[in-house]
Structure formats: C-alpha cells, structure tokens
Amino acid sequence: MLPKTRTISSYLHNHTTIFTSHTNPETHLQVRSISSLKVVWRKDRKLDQAIENDKQYKLCARVVKEVLNEPGQAIPLRYLEKRRERLRLNIKVKTFLSRNPGLFDIYYDRIKPKTEPVKFLRISDRLQQILEEGNGIVMENEPLIVSKLCKLLMMSKDKVLSADKLVHVKREFGFPNDFMVNLVPKYPQYFRILGFPGEEKSFLELVSWNPEFAKSVIERRAEEESNLTGIRVRPNFYYKLPSGFFLKREMREWVRDWMELDYISPYEDVSQLDQASQEMEKRTVGVFHELLSLSIFKRIPVPILGKFSDEYRFSNAFSNVFTRHSGIFYLSLKGGIKTAVLREAYKDDEMIDCDPLLEIKDKFVELLEEGWRERKEQLQLQMEEVKKDKERMALGNKE
C-alpha cells in the first residue's frame, strides 16, 4: 500500500481561517463552472527528473525493438543509421553502440549474395538471456495483466475498446507484444475479439464482469485502512501539493468542497451524469487516477490518453484536469511532451510501490549499467596507458 501523503483534510486543517465557509458545498460548487477555474502550471523538478531518469533506458529499448522486429532479428548497421530520426537517436549509431556496450554483437555478413560483407547488428547473448527472463516474468504476472486488461474494458462506456488502441498502449501497461494473439484467446470467459487481430476495425469486448476487478485502487486502499483501524474509511484521493505551491483562496475553497463530494468509482455506470457536472469531474479524476495506477510507470503521455476520449467520456479539454487537480496529478512538459503523472506514486524522483512487471526493466537497466561500468574502466585504462606513454617519452627525451 502506498504511504500516506499530506491529505486535503490536513492541508485544509492547517489553513482553518482561510477555508472557513458558511456555504453549502453543493451550492458553492455551482457558483463557478469547472471550466472557469484556473490554476497556474508550476514545474516540479523532482517529477521531471523521474521522467529524465528513464530517458536512456527508453532510447535503448527503442533501438533493441527495432533490431528484434527485423527478419532474423539482425540488421545492417547502415540501415539502422538511416532510421535515426524515426528512433529519435541524435547521435550516430556507432557512437550509440560504443556508449552502450553489452546490448548488441557486431558481425559481418552479406546483404545479398555476391556482395561485399558489411557490418550487421544482433542482440547480445546477455540481452537474449534477459529477454527470456522477461518472458518468465510476464508468465508469472499473467493474472495481473488479465486484470489490467479487464479493468480497461470495464471502465469504458460500452465495455469495448479498439484492438489497435490497446496495442498502441501495451508498453504503458506492461502488456506483452503478442497479448492479442496469445493471451486474449486463453481467457474466453473475459474477452471476445470482434473482427480479426491486425485489422483496422477489430475490437476487444468484455464478456463477463468480475466484481473483484471492479474495485479501484482508492477503494481497495480505503478497505485496507478500514480493516487495519476498525473504522470505516471513506474512499477519497490523496492530495499533496508540491513544496512552494499554493492555490488562490477561491480555488482552495473549490477543492475543499469538491473533495467532500462522494467518490465515484471509475467502474460505475455514469451514462446519466451531466458531462459538465461536478460529479462527472469526480468520476473523470477517478478514471485518470485508476489509469495511471494501472500503468507501470504511474505516468502516461497525454496524447495517448487522448486516444481514449470517446471510450472514457473525456471532454475536449480533459488535460486541464491535471493542472486543476495539482495535488493529485502533475502535468510534465519534459521533452516537449505533456505527460500526466500520479503524484502519490512518487517520493521525490523515485517511484514507490513499483509494478511487478517493472522487474523486466530493472534487469535491462542492470545490463546497461554493467556495460557503462565496463566502458568507464576501459577508458580509464586507456588514459593510464596514454599517461604512461607520455612519461616514457619524457624520460627518453631527458636521456
């Protein structure tokens, strides 16, 4: 369970004088429309750093994926060089390989018969071993993956999602590459494929509703706290403003009253709710909270979330939710991409309560770091040799 952060109740308690209001919460909320409430965006350097920390890993993972997708899982070096822009690789491939030893083996082969041999790349034996271990981790966590997939469908308005969209977000939630082909058919009690996998108009439909899957992270957390304390705990969001971040009085009052509204589960039927109502805002925040909680990094690029606007009933201006509720989310602009981050999932720039599927990434990073250490040691040895050569030359000149 995630450790408690500063909740909205404690935040308000520390500002009793400021938040005193004789207005009924429901009446007060109706005074201002949600869209008119503005919160100034403020950089959170620690959460930006959390994104930066994964930058090198994600770059290396993209290059590895590119090689694995080739016939025979090998590619001529010069072919990869031509794909640098698509891979967002801003250095030459040779430089990338020298900086990240241990990922690939270089060998010579012919592109066509009777042509001169050229350099090819294939994944190293060490990386192949990690990928095989990763397959084992996926198998061990298959029930978790199935529950995530069910939850994504259960939150959608028609309990149906585009197969293409699900494939597009597979890495965000830790789904294996072949989940539509090899995992989904294993669970006919939960899933039905409409159309054919790979076709533009294929969909994944929920077959049966599992009540255990219909409990959000927030509801489970409230249950656990109730069981520990013996006191019924009301489901609600953790609210933690970053250091130095303050809301204007009007916004603080709105947040206080909004937090007092009943929590609406992302798995509830909200077809009768007004899209512009405070209740719908509560439900929308709950959906985003659940989606980010289910993601392996507890953060998702906003453009990816936007692909599901219709299925999850997001408004056109849905990204404003992340700044309007700055104590729950952080909207990062790192790398020129808007990314929604779940605040409670991080302590400074480190993730807490990590997803079990992240073990695959951890093993990959260990291999990277091992290669970086080896490279550093080699460079130090080379520098020492150069230094010795200079000393020998200096002695020779004296003689």
Side-chain angles (χ1 to χ4, degrees), residues 4 218-219 221-236 238:
K4 284 191 176 182
I218 286 176
E219 289 170 314
R221 185 165 62 202
E223 280 187 8
E224 290 173 6
E225 291 181 10
S226 296
N227 292 334
L228 285 172
T229 62
I231 302 170
R232 182 182 176 276
V233 176
R234 180 168 168 258
N236 214 336
Y238 283 162

Coordinates of all heavy atoms in Angstrom, one line a residue, residues 4 218-219 221-236 238:
K4 N 1.0 7.2 3.2 CA 0.1 8.4 3.2 C 0.9 9.7 2.9 O 2.0 9.8 3.4 CB -0.6 8.6 4.5 CG -1.8 7.6 4.7 CD -2.6 8.0 5.9 CE -3.8 7.1 6.0 NZ -4.6 7.5 7.2
I218 N -8.2 3.3 -5.1 CA -8.7 4.1 -4.0 C -9.6 3.3 -3.1 O -9.5 3.4 -1.9 CB -9.3 5.4 -4.5 CG1 -8.2 6.3 -5.1 CG2 -10.2 6.1 -3.5 CD1 -8.7 7.6 -5.7
E219 N -10.5 2.6 -3.7 CA -11.5 1.8 -2.9 C -10.8 0.7 -2.2 O -11.1 0.4 -1.0 CB -12.6 1.2 -3.8 CG -13.5 2.2 -4.4 CD -14.4 1.7 -5.4 OE1 -14.0 1.0 -6.4 OE2 -15.7 2.0 -5.4
R221 N -7.7 0.7 -1.2 CA -6.9 1.4 -0.1 C -7.8 1.7 1.1 O -7.4 1.5 2.3 CB -6.3 2.6 -0.7 CG -5.3 3.3 0.3 CD -4.5 4.3 -0.5 NE -5.3 5.4 -1.1 CZ -4.9 6.1 -2.1 NH1 -3.7 5.9 -2.7 NH2 -5.6 7.1 -2.6
A222 N -9.0 2.2 0.8 CA -9.9 2.5 1.9 C -10.3 1.3 2.7 O -10.4 1.3 3.9 CB -11.2 3.2 1.3
E223 N -10.5 0.2 1.9 CA -10.9 -1.1 2.6 C -9.7 -1.6 3.5 O -10.0 -2.0 4.6 CB -11.1 -2.2 1.5 CG -12.5 -2.2 0.9 CD -12.8 -3.3 0.0 OE1 -11.9 -4.3 -0.1 OE2 -13.8 -3.3 -0.7
E224 N -8.5 -1.5 3.0 CA -7.3 -1.9 3.8 C -7.2 -1.1 5.1 O -6.9 -1.6 6.2 CB -6.1 -1.8 3.0 CG -6.0 -2.9 1.9 CD -4.8 -2.6 0.9 OE1 -4.0 -1.7 1.2 OE2 -4.7 -3.4 -0.1
E225 N -7.4 0.2 4.9 CA -7.3 1.1 6.1 C -8.4 0.8 7.1 O -8.2 0.9 8.3 CB -7.3 2.6 5.7 CG -6.1 3.0 4.9 CD -6.1 4.4 4.5 OE1 -7.0 5.2 5.0 OE2 -5.2 4.9 3.7
S226 N -9.6 0.5 6.6 CA -10.7 0.2 7.4 C -10.5 -1.1 8.2 O -10.8 -1.2 9.4 CB -12.0 0.0 6.6 OG -12.4 1.3 6.0
N227 N -9.9 -2.1 7.5 CA -9.6 -3.3 8.2 C -8.5 -3.2 9.3 O -8.5 -3.8 10.3 CB -9.1 -4.4 7.2 CG -10.3 -4.8 6.2 OD1 -11.4 -4.7 6.6 ND2 -9.9 -5.3 5.0
L228 N -7.6 -2.3 9.0 CA -6.5 -2.1 10.0 C -6.9 -1.3 11.2 O -6.5 -1.6 12.3 CB -5.3 -1.3 9.3 CG -4.4 -2.1 8.3 CD1 -3.5 -1.2 7.6 CD2 -3.6 -3.2 9.1
T229 N -7.8 -0.3 11.0 CA -8.2 0.6 12.1 C -9.5 0.2 12.7 O -9.8 0.6 13.9 CB -8.3 2.0 11.6 OG1 -9.4 2.1 10.6 CG2 -7.0 2.5 10.9
G230 N -10.3 -0.6 12.0 CA -11.6 -1.0 12.6 C -12.6 0.2 12.4 O -13.7 0.1 12.9
I231 N -12.2 1.2 11.7 CA -13.1 2.4 11.5 C -13.3 2.5 10.0 O -12.4 2.4 9.2 CB -12.4 3.7 12.0 CG1 -12.1 3.5 13.5 CG2 -13.3 4.9 11.7 CD1 -11.3 4.7 14.0
R232 N -14.6 2.7 9.6 CA -14.9 2.9 8.2 C -14.2 4.1 7.6 O -14.3 5.2 8.1 CB -16.4 3.0 7.9 CG -16.7 3.0 6.5 CD -18.3 3.2 6.3 NE -18.6 3.4 4.9 CZ -18.5 4.5 4.2 NH1 -18.1 5.6 4.8 NH2 -18.8 4.6 2.9
V233 N -13.4 3.9 6.6 CA -12.6 4.9 5.9 C -13.3 5.3 4.6 O -13.6 4.4 3.8 CB -11.2 4.5 5.6 CG1 -10.4 5.6 4.9 CG2 -10.4 4.2 7.0
R234 N -13.6 6.5 4.4 CA -14.3 6.9 3.2 C -13.3 7.0 2.0 O -12.3 7.6 2.1 CB -14.9 8.3 3.5 CG -15.7 9.0 2.3 CD -16.4 10.2 2.9 NE -16.9 11.0 1.8 CZ -16.4 12.1 1.3 NH1 -15.3 12.6 1.9 NH2 -16.9 12.8 0.4
P235 N -13.6 6.3 0.9 CA -12.7 6.4 -0.3 C -12.5 7.8 -0.7 O -13.5 8.6 -0.9 CB -13.4 5.6 -1.3 CG -14.4 4.7 -0.6 CD -14.8 5.5 0.6
N236 N -11.3 8.2 -0.9 CA -11.1 9.6 -1.5 C -9.6 9.7 -2.0 O -8.8 8.8 -1.7 CB -11.3 10.7 -0.4 CG -11.9 11.9 -1.1 OD1 -11.7 12.2 -2.2 ND2 -12.6 12.7 -0.3
Y238 N -5.7 11.0 -2.3 CA -4.7 11.7 -1.5 C -4.4 13.0 -2.2 O -4.3 13.1 -3.5 CB -3.4 10.9 -1.5 CG -3.4 9.7 -0.6 CD1 -2.5 8.6 -0.7 CD2 -4.3 9.6 0.5 CE1 -2.5 7.6 0.1 CE2 -4.4 8.6 1.3 CZ -3.5 7.5 1.2 OH -3.5 6.5 2.0

